[in-house]
Amino acid sequence: MSNIKLTFARISDSLSKKNNKKLFLALFATLVLVVAIVAIVSSHKSSYDNNDKSTSHAIIRSACSSTLYPELCFSTIASEPSLSQKVSSHINVIELSLNKTIGIVQRNYFTIEKLLTRKGLTKRAKTALHDCLEIIDETLDELDKAKDDLKDYPSSKKSLPQQAEDLKTLISSAITNQVTCLDGFSHAAADKILRKFLDAGQVHAEHLCSNALAMTKNLTDTDMASYEKNKMVGSNNRKLMVNDKRYNKIIHWPEWISAVDRRLLQSGTVNPDVVVAADGSGNFRTVSAAVAAAPERSSKRYVIKIKAGVYRENVDVPSRKTNIMFLGDGRTKTIITASRNVVDGSTTFNSATVAVVGERFLARGITFQNAAGPSKHQAVALRVGGDLSAFYLCGFIAYQDTLYVHTNRQFFVNCYIAGTIDFIFGNSAVVLQNCDIHARRPNAGQKNMVTAQGRVDPNQNTGIVIQKCRIGATKDLEAVKGTFPTFLGRPWKEYSRTVIMQSTISDVIDPAGWFEWDGDFALNTLFYGEYQNTGAGAATSKRVKWKGFKVITSATEAQSFTPGNFISGSSWLGSTGFPFSLGL
């Protein structure tokens, strides 16, 4: 409009000098018409933009309606510039939500780096901050992977059920990571003061992740309902198949398993790539050295043979070390042990003797031990967050917090787990099948808790499932079991979920079965289920009367917690070479 006015002024001045009134009036009328047309076009464009924006907002409102924090969901995305060009579907809303979440998580990373420069930090505070940096780095990888998977959704490379579970697993893990970071500042007053600087940012990131998960679950659940209705099972599945008589079923081999590995897995033979021997007779003297030398992001299984012996070290298998297998000489012969613990200044997260983050990790015939003792509080033998990890004929021995099933999908079969307080804990989706799970004698005045599951969001696909196992006591506890009450579990987080089914439960378990965490915390929101258990401690008549506790009577409901359904076992357990049962 300003340019039009300037042009008119110039023409008017010129014509006034020539005194040509008729031409002036004609040009004036033309300019008035041009101005009117521009105004109409601008008005229509503004109306179009507003309508377009309104449509985008409606899509965002619809997608956000399934979340726990809908107003945060809407306000986070609605402020995005050029919104009408970016939002035309629910998938677009999830993509934008993930982008915004990544930005907040990155900001939190820089906040933690800055806090590390503060003077006077305790040993544990420094460890907790470094834990957070590691955890947030993993979160960024998970959110980036979720974005990539969403761009290819629905994909011709994976079945729809597999895509759905992969997406939910990635975002569920991202949520748990935000909480794990804060949990590292829970041990002492100085830790809790430092936590205040992180609380707002971590909780904000957790809520954003929660919104992304809720929208993703809503999307995939809707698609899965249509998928099942139209019987599309297998239409987009490009896995290789082989009939394995050991399991009396068809096993689906993922494409990343090479032909050589498939033949080895079928035959039960595993050839090591390197050998670890403390006496120097192998390629390495320590397990850590062998892991450090392993290839990064490998699509081929890399087998580290660990000869009989006691290896006193802390071992980390980082995310870049994928497809690694630890092959021991037997649970009682090959032992990896250390003693980091909270009392001596570690965090629970960092106390693990062995920490596994790399995906598709396997272990067979090894004991993972934390020898810190019952007076050292939290002291983890194994922490595992590597997706699609499996353990066979392994042992996990400690006291409080023995086995930390941190995140992602895991499977344990024919293993031995012993501990005292919360000795199987975490927030992965995990099934323990045909395992011996034994409470041991704790310190005076303590109670034993077999599980402490940490689901923080009702949309997370996580939980602890104990199937066809034997729950009992070690010899030292058996002799004095009346002095130390032992329970199946307690709710560590608000939506704690644990299912025990088809297992033998000894009389070491208190008739009430389950115990409170703190008053009535989580008693209405948890899910604790028992199905077809036997033994002196399996009777449910005196179990707790919490709203969240349930005696499962439906086989259909119980099936949802089997390896085939709960951890997508049909798509990957066959590739481990370990025995397993997919159903009841």
Side-chain angles (χ1 to χ4, degrees), residues 180 348-349 380 382-384 401-406 425-426 492:
T180 302
T348 302
F349 184 84
V380 175
L382 173 75
R383 167 170 53 85
V384 55
D401 290 3
T402 301
L403 178 58
Y404 192 174
V405 287
H406 182 226
F425 77 110
W492 181 28

Side-chain angles (χ1 to χ4, degrees), residues 471-526:
I471 300 174
T474 57
K475 289 182 180 180
D476 63 341
L477 176 62
E478 185 66 40
V480 291
K481 60 188 176 185
T483 308
F484 300 97
T486 298
F487 298 87
L488 294 172
R490 59 177 180 164
W492 181 28
K493 302 294 182 182
E494 189 172 1
Y495 295 94
S496 181
R497 179 162 65 174
T498 302
V499 175
I500 299 176
M501 58 188 191
Q502 300 172 299
S503 295
T504 302
I505 304 175
S506 84
D507 63 357
V508 72
I509 297 299
D510 188 276
W514 308 84
F515 199 77
E516 300 88 356
W517 182 273
D518 183 13
D520 62 358
F521 169 74
L523 302 189
N524 293 330
T525 50
L526 60 78

Side-chain angles (χ1 to χ4, degrees), residues 366-437:
I366 297 173
T367 283
F368 303 85
Q369 177 178 273
N370 191 308
S375 299
K376 296 294 186 176
H377 298 176
Q378 296 92 336
V380 175
L382 173 75
R383 167 170 53 85
V384 55
D387 196 23
L388 311 180
S389 294
F391 301 81
Y392 174 44
L393 296 174
C394 287
F396 309 92
I397 300 174
Y399 286 88
Q400 183 171 350
D401 290 3
T402 301
L403 178 58
Y404 192 174
V405 287
H406 182 226
T407 53
N408 291 304
R409 292 164 289 191
Q410 305 162 21
F411 181 69
F412 295 77
V413 61
N414 292 90
C415 291
Y416 175 82
I417 306 105
T420 55
I421 302 169
D422 308 334
F423 66 94
I424 303 172
F425 77 110
N427 195 24
S428 67
V430 59
V431 177
L432 297 99
Q433 193 174 82
N434 197 31
C435 293
D436 289 287
I437 300 171

